Structure formats: C-alpha cells, structure tokens
Amino acid sequence: MQAIAYPDDYPTFDAIAAGAANRDYRPTLVSGFINDRHKWYVSAPTAPGSVAIVHQIPGKLRRGDASKLYEMAYMSQGDILELGTYKGLSSTIMGEALRDARKPFQVYTADLNEEFVERAKAAHVKMRLTNVHTHVMEGGAFTKSMKDKRVKFGFAFIDHWHGYDATVEVCQLLPDIMMNRGFVLFHDFTHIGNVSDDPAFGVIQAVEDTLSKDFKFFGIFGCCALFRYEPKLS
C-alpha cells in the first residue's frame, strides 16, 4: 500500500489557538485496522473530563496519538527511538506493536527523570516486554549519542521537553539518525502552548525553523504531527 499523506492537516496558528487543529486517527501505511489491539486504541475509553486514554499504564496520550504510535511501530522497518519515556505508556504501545508484528527491532527510550524511568521499567516488566530499553538521559544528549554510534532508526517519537531550544537540537540531529523513508512523530505539535508565550512549548516553531526540508509532512493524528524522511539521493 502506498503511504497516505494528509497535507491539508497542517495547522494554522488560529486553528491551534481555537483548539481546532487536532485530528482523529486515519491510516498512513495500512488499510483499516491492523488487529484488535490497534482497533482498541482507536476507540479506547478516556478519563472523565479528559482526552487521555484510560490504560493500565498511566500516560497522557489521546486516541489518535496512541493508535498512530501503534501503526508506525508495527510497520517500522528498523529500531525505534523515543525521547520522553514518562511512565512507559508510549514505549509499551510501541513494544507491543513490534512484538505483535513479530519483528526483531527494539525500542530505545530516554528520559531525564530517573523516577519516571524506573516506573516505565516496571511497566515493561508487567507487560512482559523485553524489546524496550530505557535510559536516564536528556533527549538531545541521547540523540547525539545515537548519532555518534551511527545508529539509524525506522521510527522516532519526539516527546521530551517541548521547549523551542530542546526541539531545535533534536530536529537538527534527525537527518543523521533516521533511515531513508523513516517516520518521525512530534507530540503536542498542536498544543495551544505553541502559540502562546509559554516557554515550555515551541514545538511547531522549532520544526518550521530547523527541520530539514527532506522531511515531508504526512498529517496530524491526535495532537501529533507525522513526517517522513525522504532525502534527495545524489
């Protein structure tokens, strides 16, 4: 199946400010639902008064976020990078997807908060996942360490500190660590903080300013923006 892009999703600042930029799940690399687990994430229950899905692992993912993570991990053609482990929900989803797909690839996730990493490790044990590897390290530093080791990834989920400078640092490193036609998903791309004076948010501006033009926009899913690395080969 040819990859489906949704270029009309690209959000305006007005749409973000109005809370109208988020989108439901739609397929990128598959037709319909992959399996029952994927279908569950698409329509997962949410907490009262919240858009976050209810899962046995605590987290802050919307249905569109979680179901796109599952699809991208399931279809990944290489190892997966995650920046921002939190309590292990997103890495659990991706680890499960790789296991369901019977792929030998691994998830490498990093977070600066040691307590969160320990909770994530416990979650992975609970879910019997052996393909997720946690690291206590700041996201930019971890990404640079992967570049220095010449590691390449088939999929990356960028969900660490959402400030402008932190996002710029990672954007500048992504061409060095992504496989050709690998996908990158930026969390909270449509968060209202990105169009306010909140210093904790600068994702969309950082992406627009510094992400290589070799990354093609593929759509909004939940509050996330999906891009694919398509370098021009000489």
Side-chain angles (χ1 to χ4, degrees), residues 74-88:
Y74 190 97
M75 299 300 293
S76 180
Q77 296 303 303
D79 289 336
I80 295 172
L81 171 70
E82 177 184 59
L83 305 181
T85 311
Y86 193 46
K87 298 175 184 177

mmCIF file with all atom_site columns, all heavy atoms in Angstrom, residues 74-88:
data_model
loop_
_atom_site.group_PDB
_atom_site.id
_atom_site.type_symbol
_atom_site.label_atom_id
_atom_site.label_alt_id
_atom_site.label_comp_id
_atom_site.label_asym_id
_atom_site.label_entity_id
_atom_site.label_seq_id
_atom_site.pdbx_PDB_ins_code
_atom_site.Cartn_x
_atom_site.Cartn_y
_atom_site.Cartn_z
_atom_site.occupancy
_atom_site.B_iso_or_equiv
_atom_site.pdbx_formal_charge
_atom_site.auth_seq_id
_atom_site.auth_comp_id
_atom_site.auth_asym_id
_atom_site.auth_atom_id
_atom_site.pdbx_PDB_model_num
ATOM 1   N N   . TYR A 1 74 ? 4.367  -0.833 14.431 1.00 0.00 ? 74 TYR A N   1
ATOM 2   C CA  . TYR A 1 74 ? 4.069  -2.110 13.782 1.00 0.00 ? 74 TYR A CA  1
ATOM 3   C C   . TYR A 1 74 ? 4.685  -2.168 12.384 1.00 0.00 ? 74 TYR A C   1
ATOM 4   O O   . TYR A 1 74 ? 5.197  -3.209 11.954 1.00 0.00 ? 74 TYR A O   1
ATOM 5   C CB  . TYR A 1 74 ? 2.557  -2.298 13.701 1.00 0.00 ? 74 TYR A CB  1
ATOM 6   C CG  . TYR A 1 74 ? 2.117  -3.681 13.276 1.00 0.00 ? 74 TYR A CG  1
ATOM 7   C CD1 . TYR A 1 74 ? 1.745  -4.629 14.231 1.00 0.00 ? 74 TYR A CD1 1
ATOM 8   C CD2 . TYR A 1 74 ? 2.041  -4.037 11.927 1.00 0.00 ? 74 TYR A CD2 1
ATOM 9   C CE1 . TYR A 1 74 ? 1.325  -5.908 13.855 1.00 0.00 ? 74 TYR A CE1 1
ATOM 10  C CE2 . TYR A 1 74 ? 1.631  -5.305 11.540 1.00 0.00 ? 74 TYR A CE2 1
ATOM 11  C CZ  . TYR A 1 74 ? 1.277  -6.231 12.511 1.00 0.00 ? 74 TYR A CZ  1
ATOM 12  O OH  . TYR A 1 74 ? 0.876  -7.490 12.130 1.00 0.00 ? 74 TYR A OH  1
ATOM 13  N N   . MET A 1 75 ? 4.649  -1.060 11.681 1.00 0.00 ? 75 MET A N   1
ATOM 14  C CA  . MET A 1 75 ? 5.129  -1.011 10.295 1.00 0.00 ? 75 MET A CA  1
ATOM 15  C C   . MET A 1 75 ? 6.573  -0.555 10.181 1.00 0.00 ? 75 MET A C   1
ATOM 16  O O   . MET A 1 75 ? 7.103  -0.456 9.063  1.00 0.00 ? 75 MET A O   1
ATOM 17  C CB  . MET A 1 75 ? 4.225  -0.065 9.490  1.00 0.00 ? 75 MET A CB  1
ATOM 18  C CG  . MET A 1 75 ? 2.768  -0.485 9.429  1.00 0.00 ? 75 MET A CG  1
ATOM 19  S SD  . MET A 1 75 ? 2.525  -2.113 8.675  1.00 0.00 ? 75 MET A SD  1
ATOM 20  C CE  . MET A 1 75 ? 3.018  -1.767 6.976  1.00 0.00 ? 75 MET A CE  1
ATOM 21  N N   . SER A 1 76 ? 7.227  -0.262 11.289 1.00 0.00 ? 76 SER A N   1
ATOM 22  C CA  . SER A 1 76 ? 8.594  0.246  11.238 1.00 0.00 ? 76 SER A CA  1
ATOM 23  C C   . SER A 1 76 ? 9.537  -0.752 10.557 1.00 0.00 ? 76 SER A C   1
ATOM 24  O O   . SER A 1 76 ? 9.426  -1.965 10.754 1.00 0.00 ? 76 SER A O   1
ATOM 25  C CB  . SER A 1 76 ? 9.109  0.554  12.642 1.00 0.00 ? 76 SER A CB  1
ATOM 26  O OG  . SER A 1 76 ? 10.437 1.044  12.582 1.00 0.00 ? 76 SER A OG  1
ATOM 27  N N   . GLN A 1 77 ? 10.474 -0.217 9.808  1.00 0.00 ? 77 GLN A N   1
ATOM 28  C CA  . GLN A 1 77 ? 11.478 -1.037 9.129  1.00 0.00 ? 77 GLN A CA  1
ATOM 29  C C   . GLN A 1 77 ? 12.814 -1.020 9.865  1.00 0.00 ? 77 GLN A C   1
ATOM 30  O O   . GLN A 1 77 ? 13.844 -1.406 9.296  1.00 0.00 ? 77 GLN A O   1
ATOM 31  C CB  . GLN A 1 77 ? 11.661 -0.536 7.696  1.00 0.00 ? 77 GLN A CB  1
ATOM 32  C CG  . GLN A 1 77 ? 10.407 -0.678 6.841  1.00 0.00 ? 77 GLN A CG  1
ATOM 33  C CD  . GLN A 1 77 ? 9.913  -2.117 6.775  1.00 0.00 ? 77 GLN A CD  1
ATOM 34  O OE1 . GLN A 1 77 ? 10.652 -3.009 6.364  1.00 0.00 ? 77 GLN A OE1 1
ATOM 35  N NE2 . GLN A 1 77 ? 8.673  -2.343 7.183  1.00 0.00 ? 77 GLN A NE2 1
ATOM 36  N N   . GLY A 1 78 ? 12.804 -0.588 11.104 1.00 0.00 ? 78 GLY A N   1
ATOM 37  C CA  . GLY A 1 78 ? 14.033 -0.569 11.902 1.00 0.00 ? 78 GLY A CA  1
ATOM 38  C C   . GLY A 1 78 ? 13.720 -0.307 13.356 1.00 0.00 ? 78 GLY A C   1
ATOM 39  O O   . GLY A 1 78 ? 12.551 -0.251 13.767 1.00 0.00 ? 78 GLY A O   1
ATOM 40  N N   . ASP A 1 79 ? 14.771 -0.135 14.148 1.00 0.00 ? 79 ASP A N   1
ATOM 41  C CA  . ASP A 1 79 ? 14.616 0.174  15.565 1.00 0.00 ? 79 ASP A CA  1
ATOM 42  C C   . ASP A 1 79 ? 13.876 1.495  15.745 1.00 0.00 ? 79 ASP A C   1
ATOM 43  O O   . ASP A 1 79 ? 13.775 2.310  14.818 1.00 0.00 ? 79 ASP A O   1
ATOM 44  C CB  . ASP A 1 79 ? 15.980 0.245  16.243 1.00 0.00 ? 79 ASP A CB  1
ATOM 45  C CG  . ASP A 1 79 ? 16.643 -1.114 16.372 1.00 0.00 ? 79 ASP A CG  1
ATOM 46  O OD1 . ASP A 1 79 ? 15.929 -2.134 16.375 1.00 0.00 ? 79 ASP A OD1 1
ATOM 47  O OD2 . ASP A 1 79 ? 17.889 -1.157 16.460 1.00 0.00 ? 79 ASP A OD2 1
ATOM 48  N N   . ILE A 1 80 ? 13.397 1.717  16.972 1.00 0.00 ? 80 ILE A N   1
ATOM 49  C CA  . ILE A 1 80 ? 12.576 2.889  17.282 1.00 0.00 ? 80 ILE A CA  1
ATOM 50  C C   . ILE A 1 80 ? 13.232 3.718  18.371 1.00 0.00 ? 80 ILE A C   1
ATOM 51  O O   . ILE A 1 80 ? 13.737 3.180  19.364 1.00 0.00 ? 80 ILE A O   1
ATOM 52  C CB  . ILE A 1 80 ? 11.171 2.453  17.732 1.00 0.00 ? 80 ILE A CB  1
ATOM 53  C CG1 . ILE A 1 80 ? 10.443 1.771  16.572 1.00 0.00 ? 80 ILE A CG1 1
ATOM 54  C CG2 . ILE A 1 80 ? 10.360 3.636  18.259 1.00 0.00 ? 80 ILE A CG2 1
ATOM 55  C CD1 . ILE A 1 80 ? 9.123  1.132  16.959 1.00 0.00 ? 80 ILE A CD1 1
ATOM 56  N N   . LEU A 1 81 ? 13.237 5.028  18.184 1.00 0.00 ? 81 LEU A N   1
ATOM 57  C CA  . LEU A 1 81 ? 13.739 5.986  19.171 1.00 0.00 ? 81 LEU A CA  1
ATOM 58  C C   . LEU A 1 81 ? 12.568 6.699  19.820 1.00 0.00 ? 81 LEU A C   1
ATOM 59  O O   . LEU A 1 81 ? 11.659 7.166  19.126 1.00 0.00 ? 81 LEU A O   1
ATOM 60  C CB  . LEU A 1 81 ? 14.645 7.016  18.492 1.00 0.00 ? 81 LEU A CB  1
ATOM 61  C CG  . LEU A 1 81 ? 15.079 8.217  19.346 1.00 0.00 ? 81 LEU A CG  1
ATOM 62  C CD1 . LEU A 1 81 ? 16.053 7.779  20.433 1.00 0.00 ? 81 LEU A CD1 1
ATOM 63  C CD2 . LEU A 1 81 ? 15.687 9.316  18.478 1.00 0.00 ? 81 LEU A CD2 1
ATOM 64  N N   . GLU A 1 82 ? 12.614 6.805  21.150 1.00 0.00 ? 82 GLU A N   1
ATOM 65  C CA  . GLU A 1 82 ? 11.635 7.624  21.867 1.00 0.00 ? 82 GLU A CA  1
ATOM 66  C C   . GLU A 1 82 ? 12.369 8.570  22.793 1.00 0.00 ? 82 GLU A C   1
ATOM 67  O O   . GLU A 1 82 ? 13.225 8.154  23.575 1.00 0.00 ? 82 GLU A O   1
ATOM 68  C CB  . GLU A 1 82 ? 10.671 6.772  22.683 1.00 0.00 ? 82 GLU A CB  1
ATOM 69  C CG  . GLU A 1 82 ? 9.691  7.642  23.481 1.00 0.00 ? 82 GLU A CG  1
ATOM 70  C CD  . GLU A 1 82 ? 8.777  6.837  24.389 1.00 0.00 ? 82 GLU A CD  1
ATOM 71  O OE1 . GLU A 1 82 ? 9.284  6.118  25.270 1.00 0.00 ? 82 GLU A OE1 1
ATOM 72  O OE2 . GLU A 1 82 ? 7.552  6.964  24.224 1.00 0.00 ? 82 GLU A OE2 1
ATOM 73  N N   . LEU A 1 83 ? 12.015 9.843  22.726 1.00 0.00 ? 83 LEU A N   1
ATOM 74  C CA  . LEU A 1 83 ? 12.533 10.848 23.654 1.00 0.00 ? 83 LEU A CA  1
ATOM 75  C C   . LEU A 1 83 ? 11.384 11.285 24.552 1.00 0.00 ? 83 LEU A C   1
ATOM 76  O O   . LEU A 1 83 ? 10.395 11.843 24.069 1.00 0.00 ? 83 LEU A O   1
ATOM 77  C CB  . LEU A 1 83 ? 13.109 12.046 22.891 1.00 0.00 ? 83 LEU A CB  1
ATOM 78  C CG  . LEU A 1 83 ? 14.189 11.736 21.856 1.00 0.00 ? 83 LEU A CG  1
ATOM 79  C CD1 . LEU A 1 83 ? 14.679 13.022 21.210 1.00 0.00 ? 83 LEU A CD1 1
ATOM 80  C CD2 . LEU A 1 83 ? 15.354 10.971 22.482 1.00 0.00 ? 83 LEU A CD2 1
ATOM 81  N N   . GLY A 1 84 ? 11.503 11.003 25.844 1.00 0.00 ? 84 GLY A N   1
ATOM 82  C CA  . GLY A 1 84 ? 10.435 11.309 26.786 1.00 0.00 ? 84 GLY A CA  1
ATOM 83  C C   . GLY A 1 84 ? 9.698  10.045 27.180 1.00 0.00 ? 84 GLY A C   1
ATOM 84  O O   . GLY A 1 84 ? 8.615  9.755  26.661 1.00 0.00 ? 84 GLY A O   1
ATOM 85  N N   . THR A 1 85 ? 10.269 9.281  28.096 1.00 0.00 ? 85 THR A N   1
ATOM 86  C CA  . THR A 1 85 ? 9.705  7.988  28.482 1.00 0.00 ? 85 THR A CA  1
ATOM 87  C C   . THR A 1 85 ? 8.450  8.142  29.323 1.00 0.00 ? 85 THR A C   1
ATOM 88  O O   . THR A 1 85 ? 7.513  7.357  29.218 1.00 0.00 ? 85 THR A O   1
ATOM 89  C CB  . THR A 1 85 ? 10.751 7.182  29.285 1.00 0.00 ? 85 THR A CB  1
ATOM 90  O OG1 . THR A 1 85 ? 11.996 7.184  28.592 1.00 0.00 ? 85 THR A OG1 1
ATOM 91  C CG2 . THR A 1 85 ? 10.277 5.769  29.525 1.00 0.00 ? 85 THR A CG2 1
ATOM 92  N N   . TYR A 1 86 ? 8.448  9.153  30.201 1.00 0.00 ? 86 TYR A N   1
ATOM 93  C CA  . TYR A 1 86 ? 7.404  9.359  31.203 1.00 0.00 ? 86 TYR A CA  1
ATOM 94  C C   . TYR A 1 86 ? 7.212  8.052  31.977 1.00 0.00 ? 86 TYR A C   1
ATOM 95  O O   . TYR A 1 86 ? 8.198  7.497  32.485 1.00 0.00 ? 86 TYR A O   1
ATOM 96  C CB  . TYR A 1 86 ? 6.125  9.894  30.561 1.00 0.00 ? 86 TYR A CB  1
ATOM 97  C CG  . TYR A 1 86 ? 5.105  10.429 31.544 1.00 0.00 ? 86 TYR A CG  1
ATOM 98  C CD1 . TYR A 1 86 ? 5.500  11.270 32.582 1.00 0.00 ? 86 TYR A CD1 1
ATOM 99  C CD2 . TYR A 1 86 ? 3.766  10.102 31.449 1.00 0.00 ? 86 TYR A CD2 1
ATOM 100 C CE1 . TYR A 1 86 ? 4.573  11.764 33.506 1.00 0.00 ? 86 TYR A CE1 1
ATOM 101 C CE2 . TYR A 1 86 ? 2.833  10.593 32.346 1.00 0.00 ? 86 TYR A CE2 1
ATOM 102 C CZ  . TYR A 1 86 ? 3.243  11.419 33.381 1.00 0.00 ? 86 TYR A CZ  1
ATOM 103 O OH  . TYR A 1 86 ? 2.330  11.898 34.278 1.00 0.00 ? 86 TYR A OH  1
ATOM 104 N N   . LYS A 1 87 ? 6.009  7.521  32.064 1.00 0.00 ? 87 LYS A N   1
ATOM 105 C CA  . LYS A 1 87 ? 5.781  6.326  32.890 1.00 0.00 ? 87 LYS A CA  1
ATOM 106 C C   . LYS A 1 87 ? 5.647  5.043  32.066 1.00 0.00 ? 87 LYS A C   1
ATOM 107 O O   . LYS A 1 87 ? 5.269  4.009  32.587 1.00 0.00 ? 87 LYS A O   1
ATOM 108 C CB  . LYS A 1 87 ? 4.550  6.536  33.760 1.00 0.00 ? 87 LYS A CB  1
ATOM 109 C CG  . LYS A 1 87 ? 4.717  7.713  34.728 1.00 0.00 ? 87 LYS A CG  1
ATOM 110 C CD  . LYS A 1 87 ? 3.463  8.000  35.521 1.00 0.00 ? 87 LYS A CD  1
ATOM 111 C CE  . LYS A 1 87 ? 3.642  9.230  36.402 1.00 0.00 ? 87 LYS A CE  1
ATOM 112 N NZ  . LYS A 1 87 ? 2.407  9.579  37.149 1.00 0.00 ? 87 LYS A NZ  1
ATOM 113 N N   . GLY A 1 88 ? 5.964  5.158  30.777 1.00 0.00 ? 88 GLY A N   1
ATOM 114 C CA  . GLY A 1 88 ? 6.092  3.956  29.973 1.00 0.00 ? 88 GLY A CA  1
ATOM 115 C C   . GLY A 1 88 ? 4.930  3.589  29.072 1.00 0.00 ? 88 GLY A C   1
ATOM 116 O O   . GLY A 1 88 ? 4.963  2.534  28.432 1.00 0.00 ? 88 GLY A O   1
#
